[in-house]
Amino acid sequence: MKAVIFDMDGVIVDSQPLHFKVEKELLKELGVDITKKEVDSFVGVTEYQMWKTIKEKYNITPSVDEMIKMKLERFLENLDEIPMVENFKEFLLTLHEQGYPMALASSNNKIAIEAIAEKFGLKDYIQVFISADDVKKGKPDPEIFLTAAKKLGVPPASCLVIEDAYNGIKAAKVAGMKCIGLQNLNSGNQNLSEADLVINNFNELNLEIIKGLFK
């Protein structure tokens, strides 16, 4: 292992409850009562993909861009509700102390990522930030992870991805990377079976376990 790439929502920050709350409220105002199961199916995909699918399915009047803007404004207004994922910071510090380069590769947009990075001081530890705005295809396409590896200057086969969603794990494996699935209950009942290892908490991880995945 030469580098680590993190997803953001559900891996670094426990933000899925806020995403769901804001999306449900917004859709209700637009006349759509969406279920948690349906929202969970979009975990890991880009905002554009999600809102485009919902707009077409429910024939909603506002444009995709308008809905993304409305959602983003509400999300940013409620950033204080978002905690860091349990024991993530300790794991981040371990990697940082050992000198591993790190990237964040998220299906969220650049503005939201910037706000989260600022709130939690992520730029002190993470060198590369890739958002949905930086790629043509979102997860499960591997483009976002391959872009992160390229910016880190590390071959894909030497990268470890940590993900909480089926779409993200699929993207990591297609990219030829090792992948750890974090079972975050707030991200819904995600199928993490394609991951090389599944954990419930970052305190289950150490460098020896990770290095074992690359043998």
Side-chain angles (χ1 to χ4, degrees), residues 2 93-102 127:
K2 290 182 182 168
L93 289 171
T94 299
L95 293 173
H96 180 68
E97 283 159 10
Q98 294 295 318
Y100 286 104
M102 291 178 270
Q127 291 80 28

Side-chain angles (χ1 to χ4, degrees), residues 140-153:
D141 189 275
E143 185 187 0
I144 195 163
F145 291 132
L146 293 172
T147 303
K150 191 175 180 183
K151 290 224 170 178
L152 286 167

Side-chain angles (χ1 to χ4, degrees), residues 6-18:
F6 297 103
D7 175 43
M8 184 178 79
D9 295 291
V11 172
I12 294 176
V13 289
D14 213 357
S15 49
Q16 294 301 352
L18 178 60

Side-chain angles (χ1 to χ4, degrees), residues 176-188:
M177 300 177 179
K178 295 292 182 188
C179 184
I180 291 175
L182 174 67
Q183 194 85 63
N184 187 331
L185 298 179
N186 286 329
S187 302

